[in-house]
């Protein structure tokens, strides 16, 4: 496995609880990286030798502003290409957005701002516009991420046309629980491949505040705080892995068949069937189908 990108889920906490959120971000969730965690992750990423890009996301990374800024500074100093994904809740007006963003000028090569009808009541929110204006003034490359409503596209059939600039919702995490009922149903037996993740040779993976290295949200390849990243990468055998092996052999359908999971007749998309099968298999593969946050369990709400 040759990783080129590592996405740090700085926190599972968020200002919002979007219906489509595949990490179940929430104001009531816990799990946040410390500065020491970030330094350890960056050190391991550098040691691996193949990682060139580091993203900070979450949850909402700007909630932990001082830690985000220090993390970005450390990552840039180590020579990584750095990016941030944010919902821009902080961009109250352009002047404020300039104050929030100016310390990142010259350090980040991408600011991806999410704005759509899940995050806000309009597709391009006032906050997103303010953040874009401020980023442009600071010469920070900026772009929008917009996820379409379930009714706009039929992701299960791959025949749907999305409006320009929008991407399709993947029915994992909270999206499976909250949105799958609004999507066009498809026979379960058709989902014989994983359409979204390169399970054999993932270019980028996500690391969460507990150290879990996710090849897809809620499928952990190992824990970076217990096993060095280099060891996790060297030891990854995609076909022998209990989860990715089944998914590579025959997609979510094979996951269901191999482990005898009960299933419904139809699902919104491949992620939906996969996520529901994984939920049923969590007790069997507790170190892989982890952490509880990714399966919608609210952890202690009073501490991070
Ligand atoms: C999990 S959010 C974290 C960063 C930040 N809070 C935000 O919303 O941009 C990262 C990106 O994932 C997208 N996302 C979340 N759930 C998704 C899903 N089920 N399908 C497609 N994209 C999703 C969000 O719209 C956002 O652009
Ligand atoms: S998509 Fe982003 S803004 Fe929405 S709940 Fe998830 S982490 Fe928060």
């Amino acid at each position: 496995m040759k990783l080129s990108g590592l996405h740090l889920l700085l926190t599972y906490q968020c200002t919002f609880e979007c219906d489509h959120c595949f990490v179940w971000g929430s104001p009531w969730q816990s799990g946040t990286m410390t500065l020491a965690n970030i330094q350890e992750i960056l050190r391991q990423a550098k040691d691996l030798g193949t990682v060139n890009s580091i993203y900070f996301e979450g949850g909402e990374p700007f909630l932990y502003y001082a830690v985000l800024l220090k993390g970005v500074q450390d990552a840039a100093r180590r020579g990584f290409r750095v990016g941030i994904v944010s919902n821009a809740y902080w961009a109250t007006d352009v002047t404020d957005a300039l104050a929030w963003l100016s310390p990142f000028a010259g350090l980040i090569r991408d600011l991806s701002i999410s704005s759509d009808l899940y995050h806000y009541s309009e597709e391009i929110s006032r906050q997103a516009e303010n953040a874009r204006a401020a980023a442009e003034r600071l010469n920070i490359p900026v772009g929008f991420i917009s996820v379409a409503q379930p009714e706009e596209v039929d992701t299960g059939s791959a025949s749907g046309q999305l409006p320009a600039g929008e991407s399709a919702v993947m029915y994992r995490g909270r999206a499976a629980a909250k949105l799958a009922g609004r999507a066009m149903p498809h026979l379960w037996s058709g989902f014989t491949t994983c359409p979204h993740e390169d399970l054999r040779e993932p270019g980028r993976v996500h690391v969460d505040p507990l150290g879990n290295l996710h090849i897809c949200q809620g499928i952990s390849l190992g824990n970076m705080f217990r096993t060095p990243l280099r060891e996790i990468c060297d030891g990854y055998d995609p076909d022998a892995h209990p989860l990715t092996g089944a998914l590579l052999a025959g997609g979510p359908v094979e996951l269901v068949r191999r482990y005898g999971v009960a299933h419904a007749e139809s699902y919104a998309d491949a992620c939906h069937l996969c996520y529901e099968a994984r939920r049923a298999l969590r007790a069997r593969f507790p170190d892989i189908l982890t952490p509880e946050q990714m399966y919608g369990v609210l952890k202690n709400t009073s501490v991070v």
Side-chain angles (χ1 to χ4, degrees), residues 71-225:
V72 164
Q73 288 166 339
D74 286 354
R77 189 171 36 79
R78 288 176 189 267
F80 294 113
R81 184 190 159 80
V82 187
I84 303 178
V85 187
S86 171
N87 64 28
Y89 78 91
W90 37 269
T92 318
D93 65 15
V94 178
T95 308
D96 282 30
L98 278 166
W100 280 80
L101 283 183
S102 55
F104 294 99
L107 294 177
I108 58 172
R109 313 263 202 98
D110 174 47
L111 174 66
S112 290
I113 297 168
S114 301
S115 188
D116 47 39
L117 295 177
Y118 299 110
H119 290 83
Y120 296 98
S121 56
E122 62 261 287
E123 269 171 27
I124 302 298
S125 67
R126 193 171 31 84
Q127 289 88 336
E129 288 293 11
N130 294 338
R132 171 158 65 184
E136 282 172 354
R137 276 196 218 169
L138 294 165
N139 286 323
I140 296 174
V142 62
F144 287 159
I145 305 175
S146 218
V147 178
Q149 293 291 297
E151 293 79 7
E152 287 184 79
V153 67
D154 178 6
T155 48
S157 74
S159 64
Q161 283 292 315
L162 276 169
E166 289 193 7
S167 53
V169 62
M170 294 180 277
Y171 293 89
R172 319 166 175 162
R174 193 182 285 125
K178 295 268 187 180
L179 295 176
R182 284 168 52 189
M184 184 96 80
H186 295 274
L187 210 57
W188 79 282
S189 54
F191 296 120
T192 53
T193 55
C194 167
H196 298 297
E197 308 295 340
D198 186 346
L199 301 172
R200 198 171 292 289
E201 192 50 74
R204 63 106 184 85
V205 289
H206 292 77
V207 57
D208 77 9
L210 312 174
N212 299 300
L213 196 70
H214 298 264
I215 191 162
C216 173
Q217 290 82 5
I219 305 181
S220 173
L221 298 182
N223 189 300
M224 284 182 69
F225 300 159

Side-chain angles (χ1 to χ4, degrees), residues 17-78:
E17 274 188 338
C18 301
D19 279 353
H20 74 312
C21 187
F22 44 35
V23 299
W24 289 91
S26 163
W28 319 113
Q29 190 52 283
S30 67
T32 298
M33 286 181 185
T34 61
L35 283 172
N37 292 153
I38 295 173
Q39 276 151 17
E40 175 59 18
I41 292 165
L42 295 177
R43 191 190 61 71
Q44 291 195 33
K46 200 80 217 173
D47 180 59
L48 193 66
T50 55
V51 176
N52 48 47
S53 118
I54 296 283
Y55 265 79
F56 289 84
E57 51 171 295
E60 177 47 49
F62 277 84
L63 278 177
Y64 288 87
Y65 188 83
V67 177
L68 171 66
L69 179 57
K70 182 82 172 63
V72 164
Q73 288 166 339
D74 286 354
R77 189 171 36 79
R78 288 176 189 267

Side-chain angles (χ1 to χ4, degrees), residues 3-21:
L3 287 186
S4 59
L6 203 51
H7 286 221
L8 277 61
L9 305 185
L10 184 67
T11 179
Y12 278 116
Q13 284 185 339
C14 192
T15 46
F16 296 155
E17 274 188 338
C18 301
D19 279 353
H20 74 312
C21 187

